[in-house]
């Protein structure tokens, strides 16, 4: 095959891609206009991936939300889809591997055979201009989407609408989705979020309630697990309102703050799919400063509490924590963002809150398959970046119905989570504890069940949960006296 490709290459000459005019039309009729596109830039972008082996260029494409459908030419869509498959499998990309993969899928001739692959490969001399090609392909794809949406809107507008408000809302949502799909660097330094949270604190105090937002830090858990280790997938699972986000945030806090146990602050990336960065920063401020969040919401704080918040903000402002609060993100996009930040900051920990909210690449798959894909992606990210990844997850209702402590089989929607995880922690109420009794207490005991540990023992750990601070702490028998 290599000889054949070399023969083909001898007939082609590397040229710098020229951008042809777009929006040319065969007639004045808008229905037969050729959509904006640049075959040359598409070829050049594909050539960049072949030129440098695929990892960096495909990562950049995923970060920019480039998909197979972003390409105008069907052959380019097919080739880029193969690039994504090779990328997920961790296989480098070159002409030979690409042709083998296309041939195995029966698609080589459909894309133009060896001759067209050679034409693409010889389109550029260097991948140095890849950002320009990527931007151009992405922009033209967005424009084509806008044209399709606008054409569809015009067609619907000519038909009688039962409810104009609903129609306008659907149009607005479609345009907003196109705008939202533009590239955005959503991982923010904690400093930005803390500044926003401090601003919210001042507003709460002034407006009196008008505005409402890799030791683990736990001695017994550290003793049982020896801390969190690189390449581990750690699942923290519970029913709603049991403290999944709180314990994940507490562990992140222990990681980013240098202490007697943790001599060096660990750079941490937190993906929050449910709460905004400012809300998380607010919880972190109150938890670290030991300030009652409910009193803060009500706008009534003592001077000492205000001083505690100021000290907490000063301590946390430059902590190495980055928060990505993208509401809609796939595991591929998550891995691309983590990989890019890791290259810049050498991450030591990644936290995801929470697993069931991660978007899937193919919504047509059954839910169990979707969760399996996400779970495998998280484990692959932990291994690739050589960092522990903590992921919060939901439990199903069985333990509540049967009034028992949760177990591994209660992990919601897929057994793949149990399989992929190296450590599974289940949060539960104290056994035989009355709901009404717990409601009256500010500090309650929580059972942290180490249900699975690939490299260590399993067992039960007691923790104290301070509801006012939304904070888990080391357990003391004194908790039972509250």
């Amino acid at each position: 095959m290599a000889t054949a490709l070399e023969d083909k290459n001898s007939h082609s000459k590397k040229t710098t891609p020229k951008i042809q005019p777009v929006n040319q039309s065969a007639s004045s009729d808008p229905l037969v206009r050729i959509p904006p596109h640049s075959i040359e830039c598409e070829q050049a972008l594909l050539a960049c991936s072949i030129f440098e082996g695929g990892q960096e260029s495909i990562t950049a494409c995923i970060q920019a939300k480039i998909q197979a459908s972003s390409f105008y030419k069907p052959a380019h869509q097919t080739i880029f889809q193969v690039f994504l498959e090779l990328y997920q499998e961790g296989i480098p990309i070159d002409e030979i591997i690409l042709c083998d993969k296309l041939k195995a899928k029966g698609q080589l001739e459909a894309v133009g055979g060896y001759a067209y692959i050679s034409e693409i490969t010889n389109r550029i001399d260097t991948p140095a201009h890849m950002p320009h090609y990527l931007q151009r392909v992405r922009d033209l794809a967005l424009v084509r989407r806008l044209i399709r949406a606008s054409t569809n809107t015009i067609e619907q507008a000519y038909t009688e609408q039962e409810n104009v408000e609903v129609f306008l809302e659907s149009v607005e949502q479609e345009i907003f989705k196109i705008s939202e799909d533009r590239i955005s660097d959503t991982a923010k330094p904690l400093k930005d979020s803390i500044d926003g949270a401090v601003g919210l604190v001042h507003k709460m105090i002034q407006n009196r309630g008008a505005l409402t937002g890799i030791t683990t830090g736990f001695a017994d858990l550290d003793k049982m697990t020896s801390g969190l280790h690189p390449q581990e997938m750690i699942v923290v699972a519970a029913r709603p309102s049991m403290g999944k986000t709180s314990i994940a945030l507490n562990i992140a806090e222990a990681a980013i703050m240098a202490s007697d146990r943790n001599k060096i602050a660990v750079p941490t990336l937190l993906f929050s799919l449910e709460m905004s960065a400012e809300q998380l920063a607010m919880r972190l401020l109150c938890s670290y400063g030991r300030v009652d969040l409910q009193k803060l919401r009500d706008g009534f704080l003592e001077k000492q509490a205000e001083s505690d918040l100021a000290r907490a903000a000063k301590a946390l402002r430059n902590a190495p924590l980055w928060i990505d609060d993208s509401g809609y993100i796939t595991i591929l996009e998550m891995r691309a963002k983590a990989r890019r930040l890791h290259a810049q900051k050498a991450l030591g920990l990644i936290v995801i809150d929470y697993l069931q909210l991660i978007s899937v690449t193919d919504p047509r798959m059954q839910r169990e398959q979707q969760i399996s894909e996400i779970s495998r992606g998280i484990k692959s990210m932990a291994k690739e970046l050589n960092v522990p990844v903590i992921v919060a997850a939901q439990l199903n209702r069985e333990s509540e119905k049967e009034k028992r402590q949760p177990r591994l089989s209660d992990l919601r929607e897929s057994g793949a989570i149990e399989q992929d995880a190296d450590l599974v922690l289940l949060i539960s109420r104290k056994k035989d504890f009355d709901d009404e009794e717990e409601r009256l207490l500010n500090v309650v005991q929580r059972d942290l069940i180490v249900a699975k540990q690939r490299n260590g023992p399993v067992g039960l750990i007691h923790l104290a949960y301070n509801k006012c601070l939304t904070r888990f702490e080391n357990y003391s028998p004194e908790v039972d006296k509250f």
Side-chain angles (χ1 to χ4, degrees):
M1 186 188 298
T3 303
L5 285 171
E6 288 167 2
D7 291 340
K8 306 287 185 187
N9 292 345
S10 65
H11 296 294
S12 58
K13 184 179 179 181
K14 294 184 180 181
T15 59
T16 301
K18 297 179 180 178
I19 308 303
Q20 300 297 329
V22 296
N23 276 331
Q24 295 176 337
S25 59
S27 74
S28 59
D29 187 346
L31 296 180
V32 296
R33 286 182 178 178
I34 300 173
H37 67 279
S38 171
I39 298 298
E40 293 80 6
C41 276
E42 291 185 5
Q43 288 178 331
L45 182 57
L46 295 174
C48 287
S49 296
I50 298 173
F51 197 100
E52 59 85 30
Q55 292 302 310
E56 286 300 321
S57 57
I58 299 301
T59 296
C61 286
I62 293 172
Q63 180 76 12
K65 298 192 176 181
I66 295 288
Q67 303 172 350
S69 59
S70 301
F71 292 82
Y72 178 76
K73 188 170 181 176
H76 296 168
Q77 296 177 3
T78 301
I79 292 169
F80 188 76
Q81 186 60 44
V82 169
F83 281 179
L84 290 177
E85 292 173 12
L86 292 171
Y87 177 83
Q88 285 184 284
E89 295 167 11
I91 300 173
I93 297 171
D94 64 19
E95 289 178 77
I96 309 301
I97 292 172
L98 173 60
C99 288
D100 280 347
K101 185 75 170 178
L102 286 167
K103 189 174 182 180
K105 293 168 68 70
Q107 297 173 326
L108 182 58
E109 294 307 316
V111 302
Y114 298 122
Y116 192 65
I117 299 301
S118 292
E119 180 184 331
I120 289 174
T121 305
N122 285 274
R123 170 56 68 179
I124 62 169
D125 291 301
T126 171
H129 302 297
M130 190 202 72
H132 170 75
Y133 308 141
L134 188 151
Q135 181 80 14
R136 186 65 172 158
V137 169
R138 170 187 162 275
D139 288 352
L140 291 174
L142 287 173
V143 170
R144 290 196 300 273
R145 283 183 61 189
L146 185 59
I147 290 172
R148 288 194 297 270
S150 300
T151 302
N152 185 50
T153 299
I154 292 171
E155 289 300 317
Q156 292 185 55
Y158 273 103
T159 63
E160 187 174 347
Q161 299 293 326
E162 292 184 8
N163 190 320
V164 175
E165 293 294 331
V166 173
F167 172 60
L168 291 174
E169 177 69 19
S170 66
V171 172
E172 183 180 310
Q173 287 178 356
E174 182 62 26
I175 300 299
F176 179 74
K177 190 175 188 309
I178 294 172
S179 176
E180 198 176 40
D181 281 347
R182 292 177 298 174
I183 185 171
S184 58
D185 201 0
T186 49
K188 312 165 189 175
L190 180 60
K191 178 181 178 180
D192 294 350
S193 302
I194 287 293
D195 289 341
V198 169
L200 289 176
V201 168
H202 290 316
K203 287 182 180 178
M204 288 177 178
I205 294 170
Q206 292 169 4
N207 297 337
R208 292 186 175 273
L211 188 65
T212 30
I214 102 189
T215 179
T216 62
F218 306 116
D220 291 339
L221 182 57
D222 282 345
K223 192 180 297 182
M224 184 174 285
T225 63
S226 298
L228 308 179
H229 305 97
Q231 301 191 11
E232 284 188 342
M233 174 180 169
I234 300 103
V235 175
V236 180
R239 291 293 298 149
S241 302
M242 289 298 294
K244 296 188 299 295
T245 300
S246 295
I247 200 167
L249 205 56
N250 295 159
I251 295 174
E253 177 197 309
I256 63 175
M257 303 303 292
S259 63
D260 292 338
R261 286 191 197 171
N262 191 35
K263 301 296 183 184
I264 301 174
V266 178
T268 300
L269 172 61
L270 194 159
F271 289 101
S272 175
L273 288 83
E274 190 173 34
M275 298 175 66
S276 70
E278 284 75 17
Q279 287 175 320
L280 283 173
M282 176 70 70
R283 288 184 65 164
L284 190 56
L285 270 176
C286 292
S287 176
Y288 188 78
R290 305 193 68 80
V291 173
D292 190 324
L293 181 58
Q294 187 57 51
K295 287 184 179 178
L296 177 59
R297 284 178 178 147
D298 294 338
F300 296 96
L301 278 185
E302 299 176 356
K303 289 296 181 183
Q304 181 59 47
E306 293 182 35
S307 299
D308 292 339
L309 279 175
R311 278 195 295 271
K314 184 177 180 180
L316 290 167
R317 187 179 301 274
N318 295 312
L321 176 65
W322 288 263
I323 301 174
D324 188 315
D325 59 0
S326 304
Y328 180 91
I329 186 171
T330 66
I331 188 60
L332 276 180
E333 292 168 338
M334 195 175 283
R335 288 175 64 180
K337 290 181 177 185
R339 186 184 295 109
R340 180 158 293 185
L341 187 59
H342 184 61
Q344 300 168 0
K345 306 295 182 183
L347 294 173
L349 177 67
I350 296 174
V351 180
I352 303 170
D353 183 29
Y354 59 92
L355 185 145
Q356 280 85 2
L357 291 181
I358 299 175
S359 301
V360 294
T361 53
D362 185 0
R364 294 169 297 180
M365 289 193 301
Q366 292 182 349
R367 185 58 178 167
E368 185 174 343
Q369 291 176 307
Q370 293 174 358
I371 296 297
S372 297
E373 177 190 277
I374 293 168
S375 179
R376 284 193 300 271
I378 293 170
K379 179 59 180 175
S380 297
M381 178 166 63
K383 293 176 68 176
E384 178 187 351
L385 302 184
N386 196 37
V387 300
V389 177
I390 299 172
V391 56
Q394 279 199 359
L395 295 174
N396 60 37
R397 294 189 178 90
E398 295 307 310
S399 59
E400 287 184 350
K401 289 179 181 178
E402 299 173 13
K403 295 184 178 180
R404 57 168 172 79
Q405 288 193 315
R407 50 194 179 215
L408 279 175
S409 59
D410 294 325
L411 282 168
R412 186 175 172 182
E413 292 175 316
S414 176
I417 304 172
E418 177 186 346
Q419 268 185 339
D420 295 326
D422 298 277
L423 178 65
V424 178
L425 307 174
L426 308 177
I427 306 173
S428 173
R429 285 189 177 90
K430 180 181 176 183
K431 194 173 182 180
D432 301 326
F433 204 69
D434 183 75
D435 288 347
E436 183 62 26
E437 184 182 354
E438 177 173 306
R439 189 179 65 81
L440 299 173
L441 298 176
N442 289 328
V443 182
V444 296
Q445 179 184 319
R446 287 279 189 263
D447 288 341
L448 187 65
I449 304 165
V450 182
K452 176 187 177 181
Q453 186 175 188
R454 202 180 297 277
N455 301 307
V458 297
L460 184 68
I461 294 170
H462 299 312
L463 294 177
Y465 181 57
N466 190 317
K467 293 188 287 186
C468 296
L469 306 181
T470 61
R471 181 182 185 88
F472 282 89
E473 296 177 317
N474 291 306
Y475 173 79
S476 165
E478 294 297 315
V479 169
D480 293 332
K481 298 179 181 179
F482 282 86

